[in-house]
Amino acid sequence: MNKRGQIFLIAAIIFVMSIYSVAIEYNTIKTYPTPEDYKDLSENYQTEYPKIINFALYNGTNPVEAIDNFTIAFLEEAKKKDPNFGVFYIYKDSTGNLHIVNTLNNKVLKLEFTNVKGEQVSLALMSQSTQTKGDLCIEGIGCNTVDTIVGNFDSAYYKTNVTSPTELRISEVGSAAPPIPIQIKDFTSMNYLTSEKTVTAGLGPGNIVVTIKQY
């Protein structure tokens, strides 16, 4: 083999090895949130949640806005430890209306309730973190399809208000678990926290607290 052929052969070997070194998947280490991380986060949220409500009521400010602002700030920090951590909560105001927010990790909830007219109503409430597609349009330029989360669109997709319902049942779309019934008459508030394998449902003061752990 002449020298030119040897040079091409060596160059080909070097090229193949360089491609292989980029494409091969080496051993990697992945870390996941521990049950202790979830426990600490959920306990912190459930400890502060009633304080936020009471502080707003004491100062004559809007408790709904206070809970929303607190949850947004809390999740921003919590997801640094546990990206799957999410919150679903319901707050009943002084007029009997329910304010419902879903920030669970990619979970779509089905709400079934009876309104003041006695009509049976069913609606789906998407999660703030649900991945979706949408059109981004700039006047004079055009539109492009983008991937984003529901929370970047109108909050109406993951927040809703229910006017004076007499009954309420909550279930997860696609889950075989039975709906969770909420007794509206004596109900004050509820928060429902999840991570990848853990579910905790907590009811406000004067109600029963139910905890389900799947670890």
Side-chain angles (χ1 to χ4, degrees), residues 75-202:
L75 287 177
E76 185 176 349
E77 294 301 316
K79 286 183 177 294
K80 294 177 182 178
K81 290 186 175 181
D82 184 354
N84 296 313
F85 188 83
V87 179
F88 166 73
Y89 61 89
I90 306 174
Y91 175 75
K92 185 173 75 172
D93 63 25
S94 59
T95 64
N97 297 332
L98 299 184
H99 302 268
I100 306 174
V101 178
N102 179 18
T103 69
L104 300 177
N105 186 43
N106 292 318
K107 294 182 183 295
V108 179
L109 300 179
K110 181 180 180 182
L111 307 177
E112 300 173 283
F113 58 91
T114 305
N115 62 21
V116 290
K117 297 180 180 180
E119 301 169 332
Q120 298 295 318
V121 181
S122 177
L123 60 88
L125 191 63
M126 300 181 71
S127 169
Q128 184 186 40
S129 63
T130 300
Q131 291 291 326
T132 186
K133 291 182 180 291
D135 290 332
L136 177 64
C137 300
I138 302 177
E139 187 176 356
I141 297 178
C143 298
N144 288 319
T145 299
V146 296
D147 292 324
T148 187
I149 60 173
V150 167
N152 289 333
F153 290 103
D154 195 302
S155 62
Y157 292 108
Y158 65 93
K159 293 183 181 180
T160 190
N161 296 330
V162 178
T163 304
S164 301
T166 57
E167 298 177 359
L168 175 65
R169 295 193 305 166
I170 307 168
S171 57
E172 181 185 344
V173 174
S175 173
I180 299 174
I182 303 297
Q183 302 299 323
I184 302 298
K185 182 179 178 181
D186 299 321
F187 179 79
T188 54
S189 66
M190 168 185 177
N191 58 74
Y192 180 92
L193 314 176
T194 70
S195 183
E196 191 67 23
K197 295 182 179 179
T198 304
V199 177
T200 300

Side-chain angles (χ1 to χ4, degrees), residues 1-11:
M1 182 180 295
N2 58 35
K3 292 184 177 180
R4 179 176 295 181
Q6 290 177 341
I7 292 173
F8 281 127
L9 179 59
I10 293 172

Side-chain angles (χ1 to χ4, degrees), residues 18-39:
S18 64
I19 295 297
Y20 181 76
S21 65
V22 173
I24 188 173
E25 183 176 348
Y26 293 97
N27 292 333
T28 58
I29 298 176
K30 295 182 179 180
T31 59
Y32 297 91
T34 64
E36 288 73 22
D37 289 331
Y38 171 80
K39 181 180 179 182

